[in-house]
Amino acid sequence: MKVTVSRRAHFNAAHRLYKKDWSNEKNNTIFGKCNNPNYHGHNYELIASVTGEIDQETGFVIDVKILKDIIKNEVEDAFDHKNLNLDVSEFKSLNPTAENIAVIIHQKIKAKLEGHLDLEVTLYETSRNFVSYSGK
Ligand code: NI
């Protein structure tokens, strides 16, 4: 019997989507306003969902306080009020699209979870645009 426990979190961050080796014209065509050289910000909403068996002693899949602390340490402290392109090492050479941010967040949280737990990450870049990654 597998149950999913979810925690919602939030961070603000700036980014710019572009590829160094493309012309300005091509970057503008592909990335539009997201290629603004002076960066732009988003209010990111994150939902981290952990799936596993219920522990017979505690009744928990995961103590949600542990999940909360992992998200704080791995995501909020690392990304909140940062420029993702300039301040976050994972995006030095990786375009900080919602897709790539979700993958990085998944890797960082998964590394801190007990091995038998599955993780799905949903990242809202706007209230209407969101991506999901479950490590597959
Ligand atoms: Ni953007």
Side-chain angles (χ1 to χ4, degrees):
M1 186 170 59
K2 295 214 168 183
V3 176
T4 300
V5 174
S6 296
R7 167 90 186 168
R8 188 186 283 271
H10 177 82
F11 59 94
N12 302 310
H15 74 168
R16 176 191 180 192
L17 303 183
Y18 73 113
K19 279 185 78 79
K20 269 187 286 210
D21 45 331
W22 286 357
S23 67
N24 225 358
E25 210 172 36
K26 182 162 185 188
N27 271 304
N28 278 328
T29 303
I30 302 292
F31 297 119
K33 285 195 293 191
C34 289
N35 176 42
N36 175 20
N38 292 328
Y39 305 94
H40 64 278
H42 291 283
N43 296 313
Y44 289 97
E45 287 284 333
L46 170 69
I47 299 170
S49 297
V50 175
T51 299
E53 299 283 343
I54 298 175
D55 183 289
Q56 289 309 302
E57 281 187 294
T58 63
F60 293 153
V61 171
I62 182 174
D63 182 341
V64 83
K65 188 160 61 63
I66 291 173
L67 180 57
K68 174 186 174 215
D69 289 344
I70 293 172
I71 292 170
K72 182 184 185 297
N73 295 335
E74 298 302 316
V75 181
E76 293 170 359
D77 289 354
F79 295 174
D80 190 34
H81 286 71
K82 298 288 171 65
N83 179 311
L84 297 177
N85 301 74
L86 301 180
D87 300 331
V88 180
S89 60
E90 285 88 347
F91 301 111
K92 285 278 187 272
S93 57
L94 179 67
N95 221 6
T97 59
E99 292 89 330
N100 282 330
I101 298 168
V103 170
I104 295 295
I105 288 173
H106 187 281
Q107 288 169 353
K108 295 187 78 175
I109 296 176
K110 187 78 172 73
K112 300 291 176 184
L113 293 176
E114 290 178 35
H116 64 279
L117 296 171
D118 289 323
L119 174 68
E120 181 174 64
V121 156
T122 299
L123 183 70
Y124 286 77
E125 195 168 69
T126 71
S127 59
R128 292 187 177 87
N129 299 340
F130 55 99
V131 304
S132 295
Y133 180 61
S134 56
K136 302 209 170 76

